[in-house]
Every structure is written in C-alpha cells, then in structure tokens.
Amino acid sequence: MNVTTTAAVRRKVLPGFGLTMGYSVLYLSLVVLLPLSALLFNSTGLSWAKFWDVATDPRVLASYRVSLSTAAAAALTNAFLGLLLAWVLVRYEFPGKRVFDALIDLPFALPTAVAGVSLTALYSQNGWIGSLLEPLGLKVAFTPLGITLALMFIGIPFVVRTVQPVLEDLDRDMEEAAATLGAGRWRTFLRIVLPELFPALLTGFALAFARGIGEYGSVVFISGNMPMRTEIAPLLIMTKLEQFDYAGATAVALLLLLISFLMLFVINLLQRWARKSSR
C-alpha cells in the first residue's frame, strides 16, 4: 500500500469537518447552550429593581460568601494534595498502586448524596471521627469546615486527573541536567518541574472551584443549612423554588452563573500567561 492509499484510508476514518462540526455544535447546544439560554430568558421577566433587591439581600450575600469561601479553600487544598497524589502515582511504584489509582475516581462514581450522608455520619458529634475531635473543641459537621471537607472530597479527582498526564509526559532529562549542575531537589522542582505543571494545576484548581460553587448533594447534609451561617447558594435556589419564588431563584442562579463565567475567564487568562512565561 503506497503513501497515497494510506492517507486516503486515514481520511476516511472520521467524517469531514462539516459533519463533525455540526454534531459538535448540536450537542453543545442541547446540553449547554439551551439550558443557559432558558435561564437568561427567564431572567428577562425580572426588573432591575427586583434583581437588585435579590442580589443585595443579606441572606443571598451570606450564601454566596459561604459558597465562594469554602469552594476556594477546598480548591486550594486540593491543588496541593492533588499535585502530591499525582506525583506519587507517576513517580513511584508500590503494591496496590492500581487500586489506589482507581480510588481517585470514586467521587465521580459515588452519588453525591451518599457522600454527604457518609461524611455527616463520620464527622458529626456522635460519629467515629467527630466524637474524637469534639473533646478537642474542633467541630466539623454543620460548620463551614464540614462544607470545605465535602468539597475537597468531590473536587480532588479534577486536580489529580489534570496534572497526572502532564507529569507522565514531562521530560526528566532537564531534571537530571539540573541535578548534575548541582541544583537541589527543591530548586529543581520549583524552577524546572513546577513551571511545566502550573497550567495543568491551574486548570485543575479552576475545575474543582467551579464544581464546588455549584455543588449541592454532598454539602446539603453536612452543612446544617443554617441561614446566614452555613447555607450555600444552590440550597437557597432550591428553597426559593419550593416557595414558588421563581424570580428570586432565577436571580440567584444568574448571579452564580456570572460568577462562574468570570472565574473561568480569569483562569484562562492566567493559563495563557503561564504558558507564555514558560516558553
């Protein structure tokens, strides 16, 4: 088989650009664009006065403060722990490595409500771990700390699975060259390895943060749902829907959407800057 025949066979493996692009746009429209456009369409019935009243309501502001602060704390912690886990999985061999690697994806497969119930049972005042922490004055369940813990649980796979393939493809010749020139381990990591991993680490942080902002199932049980203290924004949306306050729920959801888009936009700018700086 000559080169021309081989190239023709390769071109027939997938359909042309027009067909694949059409399927992609159709899928994106059905799954992403239509639901978002429905939210924006429902928000058109809101007057600016109503929208401003909902946006500046103390209970709404408190729910955003809880959601954003706990999601940021969980994402930052996961950025460190995820990098550590990815490093162990890539750079070391040990018994049970495949099982350990598979457990990283458990939060993806486990229903979030099950995770929330399990974490609440463990960290409540009478739980296995909560009963040990209670005498020390450390309360986890029904506090922002418990919400952060739940968001850490559901967000850790995003960081590990984003950093792991980049770390596997990382050329180790530069590390060996740095070692031969007398650079220590920490200096090699900070000057050689970390700049290469930083864009992927930033992506994992953004994914974990975005997931944490909108998380509901794993948080609703362990948070305690106390207004002004541990009530998250997604729970407030559900509360307003149950009270048939569709305009208020739409306003809260729209603000949450705008915050997520703004956060992703900033993260993309940082990623572009990181890639240009590493060249």
Side-chain angles (χ1 to χ4, degrees), residues 195 198-200 203 268 270-279:
F198 185 72
T203 301
N268 285 331
L270 291 175
Q271 287 176 336
R272 183 176 299 179
W273 171 80
R275 292 190 182 98
K276 290 181 178 179
S277 300
S278 62
R279 291 177 181 176

Side-chain angles (χ1 to χ4, degrees), residues 52-150:
W52 181 254
D53 289 340
V54 174
T56 57
D57 183 74
R59 184 176 178 181
V60 174
L61 294 177
S63 68
Y64 280 120
R65 183 173 62 251
V66 172
S67 294
L68 292 175
S69 60
T70 54
L76 285 173
T77 306
N78 280 337
F80 172 76
L81 295 178
L83 176 60
L84 183 63
L85 289 173
W87 187 276
V88 171
L89 289 172
V90 173
R91 294 298 178 93
Y92 299 101
E93 295 292 336
F94 52 91
K97 179 179 177 178
R98 291 186 177 180
V99 176
F100 185 76
D101 189 23
L103 289 176
I104 300 295
D105 295 325
L106 183 61
F108 284 152
L110 190 68
T112 55
V114 175
V117 172
S118 302
L119 291 173
T120 305
L122 285 175
Y123 288 96
S124 63
Q125 185 176 358
N126 299 324
W128 292 351
I129 301 178
S131 60
L132 300 177
L133 299 177
E134 188 72 20
L136 303 177
L138 184 60
K139 187 177 181 180
V140 178
F142 316 127
T143 66
L145 180 59
I147 300 175
T148 303
L149 186 66

Side-chain angles (χ1 to χ4, degrees), residues 159-225:
V159 181
V160 176
R161 295 312 184 205
T162 305
V163 175
Q164 188 176 1
V166 179
L167 190 58
E168 290 175 347
D169 296 336
L170 193 63
D171 189 4
R172 302 185 65 175
D173 292 340
M174 296 182 64
E175 299 178 48
E176 296 174 357
T180 57
L181 294 174
R185 292 183 178 180
W186 277 110
R187 188 173 184 181
T188 302
F189 176 77
L190 294 176
R191 303 294 293 272
I192 303 298
V193 179
L194 188 59
E196 297 291 331
L197 297 179
F198 185 72
L201 192 62
L202 199 59
T203 301
F205 168 82
L207 293 174
F209 185 46
R211 171 67 187 274
I213 292 177
E215 179 60 22
Y216 176 80
S218 62
V219 178
V220 67
F221 296 102
I222 200 171
S223 66
N225 309 323

Side-chain angles (χ1 to χ4, degrees), residues 252-268:
V252 176
L254 185 60
L255 283 173
L256 203 63
L257 178 64
L258 293 177
I259 292 173
S260 300
F261 271 130
L262 180 61
M263 183 270 300
L264 292 175
F265 177 73
V266 172
I267 292 297
N268 285 331

Side-chain angles (χ1 to χ4, degrees), residues 1-13:
M1 183 179 293
N2 55 31
V3 178
T4 305
T5 306
T6 305
V9 172
R10 289 179 179 177
R11 284 196 296 269
K12 293 179 181 179
V13 172

